[in-house]
Amino acid sequence: DAGVTQSPTHLIKTRGQQVTLRCSPISGHKSVSWYQQVLGQGPQFIFQYYEKEERGRGNFPDRFSARQFPNYSSELNVNALLLGDSALYLCASSRGGNRGPYEQYFGPGTRLTVT
Amino acid sequence: DAKTTQPPSMDCAEGRAANLPCNHSTISGNEYVYWYRQIHSQGPQYIIHGLKNNETNEMASLIITEDRKSSTLILPHATLRDTAVYYCIVRAGPSNNAGNMLTFGGGTRLMVKP
């Protein structure tokens, strides 16, 4: 089975622009989470979605938004990009549900560079 | 979720066992211990998790002390490909939150040397 896939792999944007990152979870997984990893630090939680509903939000500004589609894929949107948004953006999928916890499986990430 | 403390770096000789410690003295009864690793510039990889019993899978063993305040991840025969940052994470158990977020600390940078 395919693992978590993310697109694009790399992206270069200019300050003030907007960006959309995409994630496809492992088949059968209904929960998707997004993380931001700045160089030299561990990943930081941004959002979690389960069954198309937001189930968790980290300490990120409203410029960050996300959604989950009926096929459980997800998009992360970042508006008004700042230089500090340059990071590796990771998507993780898990089965989700109340009988967890379930291990999360990460994709390879999207490397965003803001200039 | 409880915080964890890990040494920032460790070395291990290739072929020897790598023992990575983690302190989680404030862990509560329904919190699990998870281990992930991250090889340079890749997404984190799930290794193993446990509640209070020792666990073993094809990648590693997890030893949790009886008081659950610390744990050790054991890679029985480390190879050069095991060089990575290893994260110990404590996370709450079943809830209505459908999965729960992972809180990553600094991790331990394991260097396996020939």
Side-chain angles (χ1 to χ4, degrees), chain A residues 4 9 16 18-19 32-35 37-38 42-43 49-50 57 59 63 69 75 85 90 96 98 104:
Chain A
V4 178
T9 305
Q18 174 265 341
V19 68
V32 170
S33 297
W34 288 94
Y35 293 80
Q37 186 172 25
V38 174
Y49 277 77
Y50 174 68
R57 172 184 285 256
N59 187 24
R63 299 185 295 108
F69 299 99
E75 286 182 352
D85 295 331
L90 296 159
N98 293 340
Q104 295 188 26

Side-chain angles (χ1 to χ4, degrees), chain B residues 70-87:
Chain B
S70 65
S71 61
T72 301
L73 179 74
I74 301 172
L75 308 178
H77 305 287
T79 70
L80 299 179
R81 287 176 292 183
D82 292 322
T83 293
V85 178
Y86 287 76
Y87 295 100

Side-chain angles (χ1 to χ4, degrees), chain A residues 60-71:
Chain A
F60 280 81
D62 292 343
R63 299 185 295 108
F64 289 76
S65 63
R67 56 179 174 169
Q68 186 177 34
F69 299 99
N71 66 353

Side-chain angles (χ1 to χ4, degrees), chain A residues 15-29:
Chain A
R15 278 178 298 176
Q17 286 188 317
Q18 174 265 341
V19 68
T20 298
L21 311 180
R22 296 176 176 81
C23 171
S24 293
I26 292 171
S27 177
H29 284 191

Side-chain angles (χ1 to χ4, degrees), chain B residues 20 23 25 29-30 34 38 41 43-44 50 57 70 83 105 113:
Chain B
L20 292 92
N23 285 320
S25 59
N30 71 336
Y34 277 74
Q38 188 172 25
S41 295
N57 63 19
S70 65
T83 293
K113 298 184 175 182

Side-chain angles (χ1 to χ4, degrees), chain A residues 44-62:
Chain A
Q44 299 297 308
F45 173 75
I46 309 175
F47 286 110
Q48 181 198 356
Y49 277 77
Y50 174 68
E51 289 283 17
K52 303 180 291 294
E53 291 186 3
E54 181 183 306
R55 294 299 185 96
R57 172 184 285 256
N59 187 24
F60 280 81
D62 292 343

